[in-house]
Amino acid sequence: MVEFLTTIDKRKILHVDLDAFYAQIEMRDQPELRSKPLIIARDPTQNNGHGVVATANYAARQLGIHSAMSAFEAKRLAPNGIFLSPNFTKYKVVSAQIHDIFRRFTNKVEPVAFDEAYLDVTANVLSGATLAAEIRHQILKETHLTSSIGVSHNKLLAKLGSEYNKPNGVTVINHENQLQFLDCLSISAFRGVGRKTKEKFDKLGITNGLELRQMSREELKTEFGKMGEHLYWQARGVHFGAVEWQRQRQSVGKEETFDRALRETNAVQIEFKRLVNSLVMSMNRQKIVGRTLNIKIRDEQFNTITRAITQDDPWTLNEATLVMAAQTMFDDNIGPDFSVRLLGVSMSNLQSATFEEMSLF
Ligand SMILES: [Mg+2]
């Protein structure tokens, strides 16, 4: 049975990830925190039990605490743990330093989060392993923080590699050892295997990459749908996605032209809701946020106006908030007698969203 054609992927891809980023910065700045379980989250006792763990140091992780867990649950696991509210202003400064270091090695940098990026270093004459050592050295020297790097020929293996030897480690995965590496991985290490998928694999008796690879493509598709197809290729270390380094689009937005002009506030509001809904979906899909919300209004005489609100921090992608802001701009600029032929809502000053930042709120 021919499963797939092997093509030798000659790329050199790194996945760089700082270790417990926010927690590590706080421990760097307050060394007395090092020996204690440190949880970056608002203290649930001062916050009515609300809040989510952004990250935790390794002492806290040993107690079973992990990011995205409720702060309340973390408090139960570590009653004497230290809770610190995240200081994003500080983390952003360090993030910029790290991304500057990445760009010394290649312009092909795809930022994934504050502390994480893919680098395509194919054009660099040095080996991936050498570059990884040098990047880790420069990060440590300039920020006093440790990082982990996966080195391979595609993004999937690079990412799995950086996770494998964490914290403060390097994993090099090449064509010769990739199957050996994948076969030993626990099933939950594969991308997209969450709690539910894991339970299903448990029932099937599949615990590691080798057993996953022995499942047929049909079987995987039947059990897991599209995810099954992804897992089929993951088990073989095949991934062709490119490091997406080119600058993101300047703006993202939606507009709508109406056959019959809108003349009532109610109708305008319904359209804003629709436009904002599709804008938010598209931004979530692209994992981007933006600081400037723009609206565009054209009347029956083809007069067009645009208005914008720019904030210091990206807009939260909350539909009600954005609709209200759009409607306010409309009301402030359009008199009571209007006829609208076109409405648009867009976001500019874009940046990539980080999972951690988004899940906090
Ligand atoms: Mg990290």
Side-chain angles (χ1 to χ4, degrees), residues 22-23 40 44 58 64 108 110 133 140 161 177 216 240 260 297 328:
Y22 306 158
I40 306 299
Y58 286 87
K108 296 186 175 175
E110 177 185 337
L140 185 63
N177 68 13
S216 75
F240 294 112
R260 288 174 48 199
I297 307 159
T328 305

Coordinates of all heavy atoms in Angstrom, one line a residue, residues 22-23 40 44 58 64 108 110 133 140 161 177 216 240 260 297 328:
Y22 N 5.6 34.7 31.4 CA 5.2 35.8 32.4 C 5.8 35.4 33.8 O 6.3 36.3 34.5 CB 3.7 35.9 32.5 CG 2.9 36.2 31.3 CD1 1.5 35.9 31.2 CD2 3.5 36.7 30.1 CE1 0.8 36.1 30.0 CE2 2.8 36.9 29.0 CZ 1.4 36.6 28.9 OH 0.7 36.8 27.8
A23 N 5.7 34.2 34.1 CA 6.2 33.8 35.5 C 7.7 33.9 35.5 O 8.2 34.4 36.5 CB 5.8 32.3 35.7
I40 N 0.4 33.4 37.7 CA 0.1 34.7 37.1 C -1.4 34.7 36.8 O -1.9 34.1 35.8 CB 0.9 34.9 35.8 CG1 2.4 34.8 36.1 CG2 0.6 36.3 35.3 CD1 3.0 35.7 37.1
P44 N -7.8 34.9 43.4 CA -9.3 34.6 43.4 C -10.0 35.1 44.7 O -11.1 35.4 44.7 CB -9.4 33.1 43.2 CG -8.1 32.6 43.5 CD -7.1 33.6 43.3
Y58 N 7.3 26.5 37.2 CA 7.3 25.0 37.2 C 7.0 24.5 38.6 O 6.5 23.3 38.7 CB 8.7 24.6 36.6 CG 8.7 24.7 35.1 CD1 9.1 25.9 34.5 CD2 8.2 23.8 34.3 CE1 9.0 26.1 33.2 CE2 8.1 23.9 32.9 CZ 8.5 25.1 32.3 OH 8.4 25.3 31.0
G64 N 0.1 20.6 39.5 CA -1.0 20.3 38.6 C -1.6 21.6 38.1 O -2.7 21.5 37.4
K108 N 12.3 36.1 8.0 CA 11.1 35.2 7.9 C 10.7 34.7 9.3 O 11.0 33.6 9.7 CB 11.4 34.0 7.0 CG 11.6 34.5 5.6 CD 11.8 33.3 4.7 CE 11.9 33.8 3.2 NZ 12.1 32.6 2.3
E110 N 7.5 34.4 11.9 CA 6.1 34.4 12.1 C 5.8 34.4 13.6 O 5.9 33.4 14.3 CB 5.4 33.1 11.5 CG 3.9 33.0 11.7 CD 3.3 31.7 11.2 OE1 3.9 31.0 10.4 OE2 2.3 31.3 11.8
A133 N 21.3 27.4 19.2 CA 22.2 27.6 20.4 C 22.5 29.1 20.5 O 22.4 29.7 21.6 CB 23.4 26.8 20.2
L140 N 19.2 34.8 26.5 CA 19.6 34.7 27.9 C 20.5 35.9 28.3 O 20.3 36.5 29.4 CB 20.4 33.4 28.1 CG 20.8 33.0 29.6 CD1 19.5 32.9 30.4 CD2 21.6 31.8 29.6
G161 N 9.0 19.7 18.8 CA 10.4 19.7 19.4 C 10.6 20.6 20.5 O 11.1 20.3 21.6
N177 N 15.6 10.8 12.2 CA 15.1 10.4 13.5 C 13.6 10.8 13.7 O 13.0 10.6 14.8 CB 15.9 10.9 14.7 CG 15.9 12.5 14.7 OD1 15.0 13.1 14.1 ND2 16.8 13.1 15.5
S216 N -5.3 3.2 10.1 CA -5.4 3.6 8.7 C -6.1 5.0 8.6 O -6.7 5.5 9.5 CB -6.3 2.6 8.0 OG -7.7 2.8 8.3
F240 N 3.4 20.9 5.4 CA 4.0 21.7 4.3 C 3.7 23.2 4.6 O 4.1 24.1 3.8 CB 3.4 21.4 2.9 CG 3.9 20.0 2.5 CD1 3.0 18.9 2.4 CD2 5.3 19.7 2.3 CE1 3.4 17.7 2.0 CE2 5.7 18.5 2.0 CZ 4.8 17.4 1.8
R260 N -32.2 49.2 -1.3 CA -33.0 50.3 -0.8 C -32.4 50.9 0.4 O -32.0 50.3 1.3 CB -34.4 49.7 -0.4 CG -35.2 49.3 -1.6 CD -36.5 48.6 -1.2 NE -37.2 49.3 -0.1 CZ -38.1 48.7 0.7 NH1 -38.4 47.4 0.5 NH2 -38.8 49.4 1.6
I297 N -19.7 55.3 5.7 CA -21.1 55.6 5.5 C -21.2 56.3 4.1 O -20.5 57.3 3.9 CB -21.7 56.5 6.5 CG1 -21.5 55.9 7.9 CG2 -23.2 56.6 6.3 CD1 -21.6 57.0 9.0
T328 N -22.4 54.7 17.9 CA -22.1 56.0 18.4 C -21.4 56.9 17.4 O -21.8 58.1 17.3 CB -21.2 55.9 19.7 OG1 -21.8 55.0 20.6 CG2 -20.9 57.2 20.4

